[in-house]
Amino acid sequence: EGMEAILRDARTRFLKPSADAASGLSPFIPSRCQTYVAPVAYRWHNVLWTQRGVYSRGTPEPGTLWPLRLDSTTTDITFLSEPQLLEDFDYTHPGPENWGCVEQTFRFPISQDSWFNALFFSGFALWTRVVVDDEDTIETKNVPSHWGYVVALMATQSIALPVPSVLKLQTSIEYDKIPVRYTLEATLPDKDDR
């Protein structure tokens, strides 16, 4: 939250202009930080999703559910589609002075391979991936890490999906709000979306 302002301030206060910056090499380690998103089935959605200890920090918007924070090695979520890139903070080339509101649309194919779990769509998992440089990355999906998953549940009960189908996600990230505001709106497929 507030990443672009932090980067701009750090670059101004702590880095000298150099030939390395012109070469495209990052003066920062890591060189970028990314947020990925994917639809998931949460094992305890219909019975214990309100269990103590899995709520995320922060306060949900009125009429929305409290996001869950799950360990990065949890077996309580099943990914229903390949992850897609939601955010990409490039420390070498910081974004505009004010990012304002960034809106994106994603399409997640739900395949026959995930037929059983697709019956139990819960919401979207978000997690961090750190790019150290051109050769090294720090993956946090399904590996031990202090960075876990944040799961945004889309309803109080799991939702049945037709398979195969495409689940659509509209995101809005308001970087100019404090704290940054994330809005996720899913469009459920019907029989015509197969």
Side-chain angles (χ1 to χ4, degrees):
E1 297 177 1
M3 181 64 71
E4 75 285 349
I6 292 169
L7 289 175
R8 196 169 289 106
D9 179 63
R11 183 178 294 279
T12 302
R13 293 197 302 156
F14 302 117
L15 297 178
K16 294 180 182 177
S18 70
D20 288 344
S23 72
L25 298 175
S26 176
F28 289 105
I29 297 175
S31 66
R32 50 194 331 128
C33 186
Q34 301 171 325
T35 305
Y36 277 83
V37 61
V40 295
Y42 177 49
R43 177 184 296 184
W44 306 111
H45 192 155
N46 291 342
V47 286
L48 297 173
W49 70 269
T50 58
Q51 66 184 325
R52 186 175 180 201
V54 297
Y55 288 130
S56 185
R57 295 182 298 267
T59 305
E61 290 290 319
T64 65
L65 299 173
W66 206 293
L68 306 178
R69 184 173 297 276
L70 302 175
D71 186 80
S72 61
T73 58
T74 186
T75 58
D76 291 340
I77 58 174
T78 301
F79 290 88
L80 304 178
S81 186
E82 288 298 314
Q84 296 184 35
L85 185 62
L86 176 65
E87 295 176 295
D88 189 1
F89 296 103
D90 182 347
Y91 301 159
T92 305
H93 304 96
E97 186 67 32
N98 181 359
W99 288 15
C101 182
V102 176
E103 296 182 349
Q104 297 179 77
T105 301
F106 298 91
R107 296 173 52 86
F108 293 98
I110 308 298
S111 69
Q112 196 66 37
D113 294 340
S114 56
W115 176 81
F116 177 77
N117 289 314
L119 295 177
F120 303 104
F121 166 69
S122 297
F124 294 92
L126 296 95
W127 67 95
T128 303
R129 177 178 184 260
V130 179
V131 179
V132 178
D133 54 30
D134 290 341
E135 297 176 12
D136 298 309
T137 61
I138 300 171
E139 300 291 343
T140 61
K141 180 183 174 204
N142 297 329
V143 296
S145 173
H146 68 281
W147 289 309
Y149 298 110
V150 173
V151 177
L153 298 176
M154 294 289 106
T156 57
Q157 297 288 306
S158 60
I159 302 166
L161 296 177
V163 177
S165 62
V166 175
L167 182 62
K168 296 172 189 156
L169 173 65
Q170 178 70 37
T171 64
S172 173
I173 305 173
E174 297 175 71
Y175 291 105
D176 52 352
K177 301 286 185 191
I178 300 176
V180 174
R181 180 179 293 160
Y182 292 78
T183 303
L184 307 177
E185 294 182 19
T187 302
L188 299 176
D190 58 25
K191 293 176 185 174
D192 296 333
D193 290 332
R194 292 181 186 200

